Amino acid sequence: MRSVVLDTETTGMPVTDGHRIIEIGCVEVIGRRLTGRHYHVYLQPDREVDEGAIAVHGITNEFLADKPRFRDVADEFFEFIRDAQLVIHNAAFDIGFINNEFALLGQQERAEITDHCSVLDTLLMARERHPGQRNSLDALCKRYGVDNSGRDLHGALLDAEILADVWLTMTGGQTNLSLAGDGADSGNGGRAQPSPIRRLPADRQRTIVLRASDEEMAAHAARLAAIEKASGAAPLWVQLDG
């Protein structure tokens, strides 16, 4: 399945008061692996950004003055997300704004984005798994050990990248078991190509095998128990061992 983790920043809220999108950030995930492809744009909203919103994301009217309008990027944005599973934290907010932008262009066939994409709301997922607890993106980063130290202000692309890590951790733990190269863009849709097989000489120095101590094994078992508690399912290692 192709997933697109998406976030937006806006001039304020709610959308019914005429507020608009000013930033879109998306990262692509295929087969639970970040491909390196992303979509990111700042937008001129043709209205002032609320002071309260600027305090949240730091995007000023002056910064947006020379940026494209949504109509200039509507086609490329739609092509990036079409037929994907959209992964969004508090999806109703972002979907409402996206639908509104297409509606303002008179593109009624795109004005209900769920006709073209499925949507997974990580906020609803987190509330089901952690009822009665804080489930903001920052709270989930702390709960799942995801680094958000660079998130002094909200930003659509940064938040999408962080949410991708949170979502992958929340739904399964390990996010990448690829034998690909260094992750550089190979021109194949942003996906890295496998490195060539390298044969080791038969007379090479043998690798020293260090066995885990009893203390390390106990720490490993505790970590697996924590993963099972957080994800609601036994880790793969436990399943295979059983």
Side-chain angles (χ1 to χ4, degrees):
M1 175 181 290
R2 178 176 182 266
S3 299
V4 172
V5 186
L6 179 150
D7 188 57
T8 64
E9 300 297 340
T10 69
T11 59
M13 57 182 298
V15 65
T16 51
D17 284 353
H19 286 290
R20 305 285 300 278
I21 294 175
I22 57 173
E23 185 187 8
I24 302 171
C26 304
V27 295
E28 182 183 64
V29 178
I30 296 179
R32 295 188 56 78
R33 178 176 176 269
L34 291 161
T35 67
R37 289 190 67 215
H38 70 273
Y39 181 84
H40 182 228
V41 65
Y42 291 102
L43 299 170
Q44 159 61 256
D46 290 316
R47 62 155 291 157
E48 295 292 300
V49 183
D50 282 2
E51 289 297 326
I54 295 175
V56 171
H57 50 56
I59 303 173
T60 64
N61 296 296
E62 293 74 20
F63 175 79
L64 297 172
D66 62 348
K67 299 302 183 288
R69 290 168 170 80
F70 186 81
R71 64 172 176 266
D72 301 319
V73 304
D75 288 344
E76 64 181 10
F77 170 59
F78 181 77
E79 287 304 315
F80 191 88
I81 65 173
R82 185 171 63 173
D83 298 327
Q85 175 194 52
L86 299 183
V87 180
I88 308 173
H89 202 66
N90 191 17
F93 177 87
D94 300 88
I95 293 298
F97 272 91
I98 292 169
N99 287 344
N100 180 65
E101 293 292 344
F102 283 118
L104 290 174
L105 295 179
Q107 298 183 9
Q108 298 304 322
E109 72 282 3
R110 296 177 176 176
E112 187 55 65
I113 205 66
T114 52
D115 290 343
H116 308 280
C117 310
S118 61
V119 177
L120 187 154
D121 190 337
T122 52
L123 177 59
L124 297 181
M125 178 185 296
R127 285 174 175 169
E128 290 177 357
R129 296 191 175 198
H130 311 290
Q133 300 182 50
R134 294 181 62 249
N135 289 299
S136 66
L137 185 54
D138 283 334
L140 291 177
C141 285
K142 182 176 181 180
R143 186 172 299 142
Y144 289 101
V146 173
D147 181 15
N148 66 339
S149 57
R151 193 180 186 242
D152 296 327
L153 294 171
H154 290 214
L157 183 58
L158 174 61
D159 285 1
E161 292 171 343
I162 291 173
L163 179 59
D165 287 340
V166 168
W167 168 57
L168 291 171
T169 303
M170 185 165 57
T171 57
Q174 187 161 358
T175 62
N176 188 356
L177 190 60
S178 170
L179 299 180
D182 60 4
D185 189 343
S186 64
N188 184 25
R191 286 174 286 180
Q193 292 297 302
S195 300
I197 296 173
R198 293 181 298 169
R199 302 297 181 186
L200 298 177
D203 60 350
R204 70 188 185 279
Q205 182 178 357
R206 296 301 174 179
T207 302
I208 298 174
V209 178
L210 298 177
R211 302 294 181 184
S213 66
D214 291 342
E215 182 181 354
E216 290 168 335
M217 291 297 292
H220 178 65
R223 180 59 177 166
L224 293 182
I227 292 174
E228 181 171 358
K229 182 178 179 181
S231 65
L236 180 59
W237 302 282
V238 175
Q239 297 178 35
L240 292 176
D241 188 49

